[in-house]
Amino acid sequence: MALIGAAVDRVDGRLKVTGQAPYSADVVLPRMTHGVLVLSTIASGRITAIDSAEAERMPGVLLVMSHLNAPQLPDGGRAGVHPPAGRVLALFQEDAVHYNRQPVALVVAETLDQAGAAARKIGVSYAESSAQLNFAAAKPDAHAPDKINSDPSDTARGSFAEPSSAGPSSTGEQPPPAAARVAETYRTPIEHHNPMEPHATVAVWQGDELTLYDATQYISGCRSTVAKTLGMAPDKVRVVCPYVGGGFGCKGSTWSHVPLAALAARQVGRPVKLVLGRDQMFGFVGCRPLTEQELIVTADSSGQFESMQHHSFSHTSMIEDFTEGAAVQTRILYSCPNVETQHRLVKLNVETPTFQRAPGHCTGTFALESALDELSVELHMDPIAMRLRNEPAADPQSKLPWSSRSLRACYDSGAKAFGWAARKSEPRSMRAGRELVGWGYATATYPANRSPANAVARLKPDGMVVVQCGTQDLGTGTYTLMAQVAAQTLGFPLERVRAELGDSRFPEAPVSGGSQSAASVMPAVQAAASALRDKLIALAVGDEFSPAYKAPADDVVIEAGRVGLRSQTRREPIAAALARNGGGEIFAMGNAQPGDAKKHHSLHSFGAVFVEVRIDPDLHVIRVPRVVGRYSVGRLLNEKTGRSQLLGGVVWGIGMALMEDSVLDGRSGRIVNANLAEYHVPTNADIGHIDVDVVPEFDPYIDPLGARGIGEIGITGVAAGVANAVYHATGVRVRQLPITLDKLFT
Ligand code: MOS
């Protein structure tokens, strides 16, 4: 009955492939109306007039809401702002415009087409003021953020005695020049999340109670944000989201359209459905900020790192700080006595950026792992041998022992699977036919997170177990893991267990972000199932017709949903005992807390990524025929969904390396490629063979199941792996993503 860890098929797979899984935009309610947002067309200024006369006369139009008529909200609409995920929203409380594609009006009509047609007839006049859209020009005014989630913005250890740029060390001594030194700037562009399912919400009121069918990574966060924003008691708001069509961080926060839909629904007295168009996904629902990362890394002739300086600049909006923690992994990844990291924010008249797919570590590993590849070239050392030379026995920043770090095993297993030993170190030295072949390496890493979570397990009169948790499934396998954990803990077959989630009436769980759902939710499910098992055994022991009657509890077994004694073969379905004892359901709650593991251990995941590129020497077309990734992530709870998630992360990484790029127009502040035709992501034809696996591991400190989260580590390291392979193939070092072929012409 080892269900935990097994390659169990997705329990929701059939619903998904037959189109029966209801997503938020699929919700249809009686008398439902449709909302369409009007977005600003300037980046900075004030709205001077809104002409909605024509729109209001159009067929089916029920409401045009703007700052001229929107209800006044507590604290000017800012009552729900609780960093890091509570956002400064555009809720029509003022006439100011702070970025292009800021919501300025909402049209509600009987049908979507009517609302869309009317929205196009709304005339908005502006008094434009000059917008800051130039990162380089604003960079000198960069400011330090307070913190990056729970991490400090700046750190320093040792003495950062860098001769040329940092000046003399604090002691005034000039250190001897390093054997190898790389000082370069690495740049990553703005990227938009682009889940296949756009943001969507359906708001419906019953009296003073609001229900939101919202596409979200965080139902209880949405409930709390909306309740605070509208000045309501949280228990008057219910958020329902059984399926999410991808989140990647943009659905971790509740954005302006959600409270606006609720306000509009109250105004028209009918349900309102509000679904963002693809172009609106590039406007006010977050993006990954662009980064400029200045690195200086030095090593002695043996390859021992001497110093690392990582200064990351990223952009934020005029209204709020969001920091991409790109230098955070540099504090812990390698053994190095002198490390200085800094984050600075550059304000632009753009939307507030947000968490996106391994925030910080994704952009940060591109810069760090590219710089270290450059260092290995200077040292004439194999890039993996150089990293092995600097493998830390404990966390070099906190000095705490690792909970588990099997990165050496990842290097070994990955190198073997890839055939790394056959690599010739010289750039342009490997070919396949006329194509240049490049082999690149980079390390992956992401922290292990966990938060308190709750769950309930119920035995129903029909013998089904239902396990419920107020978590979300972003498409990654949460339903399946919940069913696996509950079934194994209870001694029930998988098909007699049903997982339910995505309803804020279920016991509360954290945001499905920061790669923490499995490590947070599964221990709560296990606790609930285990408490239910105790109750079921007590029921059987107290039931004179049960085979377990009056037996000591530890003699009683539940197998395949049947109860009996260890020593005897007679078994009886649990439901039979239930039927004889009132016939109602029995339930048990489970609560799981992270404890103080982070006080005595350093909890991170790691990986080793090997990339092959093939490049046409004349046209410079880049292909990625194969990637090998090996990961140290604790125990994998489901071989199948787990590998899929890592594999998907690698695909993201290839897109980041070669394609993804939100192009900001420096005059209008508008993203000009706000569609999937011009914002490129990999298609099936762009992806070659991806071989991902985990090394055997059990992390006893993160949670009782031994599993760290795997939601985000898959993307980390990949872009650097591609960039390093491109260098190896061509001798051209590209330090600015995406690596488009024009950047290879020298
Ligand atoms: Mo993730 S970017 O924390 O959804």
Side-chain angles (χ1 to χ4, degrees):
M1 275 271 294
L3 283 169
I4 299 174
V8 171
D9 287 349
R10 279 167 203 280
V11 297
D12 51 335
R14 197 170 289 267
L15 278 184
K16 294 256 176 86
V17 298
T18 55
Q20 293 177 80
Y23 292 84
S24 300
D26 297 328
V27 170
V28 175
L29 298 174
R31 302 181 69 239
M32 189 173 75
T33 66
H34 297 264
V36 170
L37 281 166
V38 179
L39 308 183
S40 73
T41 53
I42 64 163
S44 179
R46 282 188 316 105
I47 304 166
T48 54
I50 293 188
D51 179 1
S52 59
E54 186 185 351
E56 281 171 54
R57 283 195 305 270
M58 288 172 72
V61 174
L62 301 165
L63 173 70
V64 177
M65 191 166 70
S66 70
H67 74 285
L68 299 175
N69 62 351
Q72 283 198 354
L73 296 171
D75 197 14
R78 295 191 173 209
V81 181
H82 292 277
R87 297 300 181 192
V88 176
L89 301 177
L91 302 176
F92 307 163
Q93 301 295 296
E94 52 171 23
D95 61 5
V97 174
H98 304 287
Y99 54 92
N100 209 316
R101 289 202 176 96
Q102 172 184 318
V104 293
L106 172 62
V107 179
V108 179
E110 294 285 349
T111 70
L112 178 61
D113 288 341
Q114 289 170 336
R120 284 189 288 278
K121 295 292 183 190
I122 306 275
V124 185
S125 307
Y126 301 96
E128 219 173 324
S129 44
S130 83
Q132 180 53 272
L133 296 165
N134 186 324
F135 187 86
K139 198 175 166 190
D141 299 324
H143 68 280
D146 293 338
K147 275 202 310 187
I148 307 157
N149 305 319
S150 56
D151 293 312
S153 161
D154 297 5
T155 61
R157 68 169 183 262
S159 62
F160 193 81
E162 225 293 316
S164 63
S165 83
S169 70
S170 50
T171 58
E173 285 167 47
Q174 284 285 352
R181 176 177 183 275
V182 171
E184 294 291 352
T185 299
Y186 302 84
R187 293 180 171 85
T188 63
I190 299 174
E191 295 165 2
H192 281 81
H193 304 71
N194 278 301
M196 290 309 296
E197 178 203 34
H199 289 275
T201 200
V202 179
V204 54
W205 292 84
Q206 284 139 316
D208 65 346
E209 299 196 352
L210 171 66
T211 301
L212 292 162
Y213 299 89
D214 188 45
T216 176
Q217 293 170 234
Y218 193 12
I219 50 173
S220 52
C222 178
R223 177 182 58 186
S224 145
T225 298
V226 171
K228 284 179 180 143
T229 302
L230 303 189
M232 297 168 66
D235 62 1
K236 298 285 187 190
V237 181
R238 178 184 180 197
V239 180
V240 179
C241 180
Y243 299 96
V244 185
F248 317 142
C250 66
K251 292 175 185 156
S253 311
T254 298
W255 301 98
S256 307
H257 62 287
V258 184
L260 288 176
L263 288 176
R266 195 163 62 188
Q267 202 98 341
V268 299
R270 293 167 61 179
V272 171
K273 178 188 282 191
L274 181 45
V275 183
L276 302 195
R278 182 58 60 181
D279 59 323
Q280 298 183 324
M281 298 291 288
F282 295 76
F284 61 95
V285 290
C287 59
R288 193 199 295 284
L290 72 86
T291 71
E292 268 189 25
Q293 303 178 53
E294 301 170 358
L295 272 96
I296 306 173
V297 291
T298 66
D300 70 17
S301 55
S302 76
Q304 171 71 56
F305 299 153
E306 289 183 332
S307 66
M308 293 186 182
Q309 186 186 64
H310 191 161
H311 292 179
S312 175
F313 294 80
S314 61
H315 88 264
T316 192
S317 68
M318 290 294 173
I319 51 176
E320 202 180 332
D321 281 359
F322 171 81
T323 311
E324 176 84 1
V328 169
Q329 79 284 317
T330 304
R331 299 165 182 167
I332 64 111
L333 201 45
Y334 300 104
S335 167
C336 181
N338 308 302
V339 174
E340 192 212 52
T341 63
Q342 274 186 14
H343 297 84
R344 294 294 178 265
L345 291 175
V346 176
K347 284 182 165 215
L348 299 178
N349 279 99
V350 295
E351 64 172 319
T352 304
T354 193
F355 312 97
Q356 186 181 125
R357 307 180 312 208
H361 291 70
C362 173
T363 46
T365 52
F366 165 65
L368 177 64
E369 293 295 301
S370 293
L372 293 183
D373 197 67
E374 299 199 50
L375 196 66
S376 72
V377 171
E378 288 229 350
L379 287 162
H380 303 287
M381 248 181 122
D382 175 82
I384 297 168
M386 180 190 75
R387 285 170 175 84
L388 278 167
R389 182 91 185 72
N390 295 281
E391 177 65 13
D395 180 330
Q397 181 70 19
S398 66
K399 315 294 181 211
L400 296 173
W402 304 110
S403 61
S404 61
R405 168 167 166 143
S406 309
L407 187 50
R408 279 174 195 276
C410 296
Y411 291 140
D412 291 349
S413 159
K416 197 160 169 239
F418 189 83
W420 185 258
R423 182 178 184 264
K424 295 182 195 145
S425 62
E426 211 40 44
R428 301 185 77 92
S429 63
M430 291 172 64
R431 285 195 184 241
R434 57 184 293 280
E435 283 189 317
L436 296 163
V437 174
W439 287 2
Y441 172 81
T443 295
T445 186
Y446 195 75
N449 295 312
R450 185 181 169 194
S451 298
N454 302 280
V456 59
R458 306 174 188 277
L459 176 67
K460 296 287 185 182
D462 64 358
M464 276 300 280
V465 168
V466 177
V467 56
Q468 298 170 323
C469 176
T471 183
Q472 306 73 212
D473 189 335
L474 310 194
T476 48
T478 307
Y479 277 109
T480 310
L481 292 191
M482 282 174 64
Q484 285 173 265
V485 171
Q488 178 164 330
T489 308
L490 274 161
F492 267 62
L494 193 66
E495 49 299 346
R496 304 297 296 159
V497 177
R498 187 170 71 242
E500 295 180 353
L501 52 76
D503 188 328
S504 60
R505 289 184 175 172
F506 294 153
E508 190 164 334
V511 59
S512 292
S515 299
Q516 67 173 343
S517 281
S520 304
V521 167
M522 300 318 148
V525 168
Q526 190 182 43
S530 170
L532 179 60
R533 187 176 177 277
D534 291 346
K535 285 192 177 180
L536 298 181
I537 287 174
L539 175 78
V541 168
D543 173 12
E544 60 178 308
F545 300 104
S546 167
Y549 183 52
K550 283 196 170 165
D554 50 5
D555 263 4
V556 183
V557 285
I558 303 177
E559 283 170 351
R562 298 160 74 86
V563 68
L565 292 183
R566 229 172 268 285
S567 51
Q568 292 172 12
T569 50
R570 193 183 149 215
R571 298 278 187 272
E572 185 195 62
I574 283 280
L578 198 62
R580 287 193 297 268
N581 290 272
E585 75 162 37
I586 296 186
F587 73 91
M589 305 291 297
N591 167 275
Q593 301 282 337
D596 64 352
K598 287 204 173 183
K599 289 211 182 93
H600 49 78
H601 280 85
S602 182
L603 289 86
H604 296 265
S605 286
F606 302 95
V609 183
F610 300 78
V611 179
E612 176 173 319
V613 298
R614 295 198 178 190
I615 299 179
D616 182 298
D618 301 315
L619 303 176
H620 296 178
V621 172
I622 306 167
R623 300 246 167 241
V624 184
R626 63 194 186 104
V627 177
V628 171
R630 289 293 180 272
Y631 298 92
S632 153
V633 291
R635 175 160 67 148
L636 208 54
L637 296 178
N638 181 321
E639 280 266 339
K640 196 172 189 178
T641 59
R643 277 180 209 234
S644 289
Q645 209 168 351
L646 292 167
L647 192 149
V650 173
V651 172
W652 276 351
I654 293 170
M656 179 192 186
L658 301 177
M659 298 169 194
E660 291 195 51
D661 187 4
S662 296
V663 181
L664 181 72
D665 179 355
R667 296 156 302 175
S668 68
R670 222 166 156 79
I671 300 294
V672 293
N673 56 337
N675 56 70
L676 288 178
E678 293 161 294
Y679 185 92
H680 291 167
V681 296
T683 67
N684 222 30
D686 296 311
I687 299 303
H689 184 70
I690 299 176
D691 164 15
V692 290
D693 206 348
V694 299
V695 296
E697 208 178 62
F698 186 96
D699 185 337
Y701 300 104
I702 182 72
D703 60 60
L705 294 153
R708 295 194 292 269
I710 52 167
E712 290 163 287
I713 188 171
I715 192 174
T716 69
V718 177
V722 172
N724 298 341
V726 166
Y727 171 78
H728 183 237
T730 63
V732 179
R733 180 67 65 177
V734 181
R735 302 186 185 91
Q736 177 157 16
L737 295 181
I739 308 170
T740 44
L741 47 80
D742 53 294
K743 295 187 178 116
L744 296 182
F745 286 85
T746 48

